[in-house]
Amino acid sequence: MNRYSLLSGAIITALSSYSSHAAIINGHVVDTNNQPIANADVHIHGKAQSIKTDSNGKFSIDIDAKSQLHISKNNFIDARLAVDEDSQKINVTLTPTSVETVVVYASALHKNSLEMISPVNVLAGDELKNKAKPTLGETLKGLPGVNASYFGPVSSSPIIRGLDGPRVKITQNGLDSSDASRIGPDHATSNDSLSAEQIEVLRGPATLLYGSGAIGGVVNVVDNRIPTDNIDQFTGAVQYNHDSVSNANTYAAKLETGHENFNFHFDGTKRMGDDYQTPRFELPEEGHEEHHEHEEHEEHEEHAHETATSVENTFIDSQTVNFGTSYVGEHFTVGMSYGRIETDYGIPAHEHHGHEHEHEHENEESEEESVYARVEQDRWQGLMSYALHNNWIETINLRLGYTDYSHAEIEDGTIGTIFSNETTEARFNIEHKLGNWHGIAGYHFSESDYDANGEEAFTPASKTTTNALFILEEQMIGDVTVELGARVEDYNIDSNITSHDHDHDEGEGEEHHDEMEEDHDEVTAYSKSFTNLSASAGAIWQYTPGQSVSLSISHSQRAPLSAELLSNGLHIATGTYELGLGYVIEDGEAHFEPEDIKQETANNFDLSFRQFSGDFGYTVNFFYNDIKNFYYQKNTGLTFDEEHGFEEAQTDHEHEDALAVYQFVSQDAELYGVEFDAHYQVNSNAMVKVFGDSTTAKLKDENLPRIPANKLGSELQYTLNDWQFTLTGTHYFEQNDITQYETKTHSYSLFDAQANYQLSVGQIDTQLYINVDNITDELGFVHSSFIKEKAPLPGRNFSIGVRGYF
């Protein structure tokens, strides 16, 4: 009993150790011209609640102990001041920046984008609304260092510095999005950019807080579905948009209100679009070859290629609804949210090889049935936060998430394959002060129950469980902020592996053999555990006002996902047969022999230079990533069909329906490059930006496949009264650093224009806009796409819309 008494006493002491003496701090926030700054955020470090300055830049806030006051406003450098009960009135001057600043929620330490050691981009406000696309990949691909996988405009995931899929963690409010987008490029992410408050892109390893799936970076979608500040009045927003390139209509709405510390949130979107239009392009020959019995080769060579001006089966019909509520008190915040997604979208280039035979006659009217995906997701999130505000524990936070996701592929009205993922996640952390160190320590739990049923279930059902402890600490030493962190993660994967024994021999007794044959399916229970260790160290030096340099090094480990380790089957969407790390091919059969599976281990180096004051500003990032046992899909040079199994690829048309075999293998790799953006404020109305990136990704003896092309772009922004104009041009260079099974991708340039007009209609602030994407109707192919030759980028697109805020 003594043990429990001591523990209870310690908890009670911690919870009651903050001072009972309250004081009111009155303040005035102005800019460098002594003009008041309205709507600046004023926040006591360690508390959940914040307030805003009034139209005169004034505020009043209660404190109950010696505190740090954090004042922030977009486009100004944050101010932090020490206050106590004796402080009565303070004056704060915020220095303007030449770049937009915003608090990065994924940082976990209340840092804004200029204080981050790791490179970060944040899309928020009207910039996010103007750039929002149906997918995360297309929304973010214009950022330096970010590209898109592009499986058509309805399924496109972010690629960060050449890394994608399982190496880029996609989160919503810090918790995993828990979809199946990492299983295959045809699986869309479940995050909606239209309802987001901001989208944060952290480049480089962020494994300390988010786990081994963040070895390449994090994309965090932030919304206000669980309000963390009290809402004093009824507010809302509505939007309508029409895209000409796919005849798409999008509707969105958001409503928020609150009363006596209780807050409520609703948002919803509806999007409907047809197949998208493209500049005229040649369809790949393999899908349209004519097989004649005669050998008139010259006539065949002279036959014109078939062309198209649209990509078939790229429609979308999507709706989302989200509800949230919270109670925000002086020290205690609790809330929950529920979201529902229902989306149907076409899967382009989805062909069912292996079901036709050579003796079947050609019939132009018997077209393949279009295959589409039906995505449904129910997502619950919960938040509890308690601000102790004592000498060493500041806040205790708990985030909970539960997601039930399914992705069904439907052909001719019948469900062919269902991929499902049921995920439970919890993140508990304590924000604290230890001497001069400020940081968080916590525990992270995740359990993912993945299942796949149907003819295209190329990855078996599996359960993946992670338990992790992490710590992240920072300290200011003069003008230098030092950051140290570590994470230890227990990663376990469980599955049942089924082996199929098939006889591919043909002979006189084949008919009798078929009658007697029974496939002997052996089921083997497989379980594998890994211990992933990660550590990082970094520093940022504000060596002069408005300029900084940062350096970070990190060591990260990652265990293979179920798809990388256990895949064994046809993946029709990519037109390949996929095998995991655990298989070997012998005598035309694949055998599961998972021996000596090693973790992927990355050692990353980042160096960044920033200038963020004055008329000229820039950010330049250099990175180098040395990865041991890098997992990637390699073309084995083999093909597979049901009749012949695995065999060497044929140069003739003997086995028309055989699919190329891609297997996950591991090999040492290195990735390095540079990314930058710079801007110059020409005058009060005009600003010019330049941005670009370059990534080199190589194995020891060859290039990595599907690495995005380098890009270079420029943007002109001009404001005239209530009008805002933007013209952007981006050049994507030729990509000829390819593997022997790839083809080079030619360069192309895209030009986009935007015009926004601000007006007020009664109590509603209204914005009318028109965007023109790909003004020159340029034909462009995305090198990182699995179906680049079948799905070029959209052609010229006129987007017209209206937004209203009340």
Side-chain angles (χ1 to χ4, degrees), residues 2 21 83 97 180 185 194 261 275 286 346 397 427 572 662 758:
N2 289 337
H21 301 288
V83 294
T97 67
L194 275 178
N261 300 105
D275 295 348
E286 61 268 24
N397 298 292
R427 183 186 300 277
I572 305 299
Y662 279 76
Q758 305 280 348

Side-chain angles (χ1 to χ4, degrees), residues 135-389:
T135 64
L136 274 182
E138 293 304 290
T139 300
L140 302 174
K141 71 177 185 180
L143 298 176
V146 184
N147 288 276
S149 60
Y150 199 73
F151 205 90
V154 293
S155 179
S156 184
S157 298
I159 299 174
I160 301 178
R161 294 175 171 179
L163 301 176
D164 64 346
R167 299 178 184 88
V168 174
K169 192 80 165 181
I170 299 177
T171 63
Q172 182 178 336
N173 301 317
L175 297 180
D176 199 317
S177 59
S178 303
D179 50 39
S181 60
R182 287 177 285 181
I183 299 299
D186 57 314
H187 294 221
T189 62
S190 59
N191 303 89
D192 185 22
S193 56
L194 275 178
S195 60
E197 299 287 328
Q198 65 187 50
I199 301 177
E200 306 164 348
V201 181
L202 277 67
R203 305 185 200 89
T207 56
L208 299 179
L209 296 176
Y210 297 99
S212 56
I215 204 167
V218 168
V219 175
N220 185 39
V221 180
V222 180
D223 55 54
N224 197 41
R225 292 169 189 169
I226 302 179
T228 54
D229 286 321
N230 281 320
I231 304 171
D232 298 325
Q233 57 185 350
F234 179 77
T235 62
V238 293
Q239 177 177 347
Y240 167 75
N241 182 82
H242 176 77
D243 286 337
S244 65
V245 76
S246 59
N247 193 32
N249 294 295
T250 303
Y251 310 84
K254 181 179 74 170
L255 301 172
E256 292 184 334
T257 189
H259 180 68
E260 293 184 352
N261 300 105
F262 287 94
N263 309 281
F264 306 92
H265 171 99
F266 163 81
D267 71 74
T269 61
K270 172 69 176 178
R271 181 185 293 113
M272 297 174 293
D274 301 326
D275 295 348
Y276 74 94
Q277 305 298 307
T278 70
R280 185 171 296 278
F281 70 101
E282 292 183 355
L283 292 166
E285 292 184 25
E286 61 268 24
H288 306 275
E289 291 176 343
E290 298 181 4
H291 307 293
H292 301 284
E293 295 298 330
H294 54 79
E295 297 182 355
E296 298 181 8
H297 297 296
E298 293 182 0
E299 180 181 346
H300 179 72
E301 289 176 0
E302 292 176 0
H303 189 275
H305 288 291
E306 186 173 353
T307 63
T309 57
S310 67
V311 178
E312 295 181 0
N313 203 28
T314 53
F315 75 90
I316 186 170
D317 185 355
S318 175
Q319 47 272 330
T320 68
V321 291
N322 298 281
F323 302 90
T325 184
S326 68
Y327 172 83
V328 180
E330 181 69 15
H331 292 275
F332 182 65
T333 297
V334 61
M336 65 177 296
S337 67
Y338 167 74
R340 171 71 178 175
I341 298 173
E342 295 180 357
T343 301
D344 290 354
Y345 67 89
I347 304 177
H350 200 291
E351 302 166 356
H352 278 255
H353 298 268
H355 298 288
E356 297 85 20
H357 301 282
E358 291 181 13
H359 66 270
E360 291 180 349
H361 64 279
E362 294 287 333
N363 186 351
E364 294 179 358
E365 296 182 357
S366 61
E367 298 180 357
E368 292 181 349
E369 294 289 342
S370 296
V371 179
Y372 68 94
R374 173 163 293 165
V375 173
E376 297 180 349
Q377 185 186 76
D378 294 292
R379 183 178 181 88
W380 296 85
Q381 282 195 347
L383 167 67
M384 288 186 289
S385 177
Y386 190 83
L388 281 75
H389 200 62

Side-chain angles (χ1 to χ4, degrees), residues 628-647:
K628 305 296 183 184
N629 305 312
F630 183 85
Y631 310 141
Y632 73 103
Q633 282 184 298
K634 182 177 182 179
N635 191 321
T636 62
L638 302 175
T639 60
F640 175 87
D641 64 22
E642 290 291 344
E643 182 179 357
H644 301 91
F646 298 93
E647 62 180 9

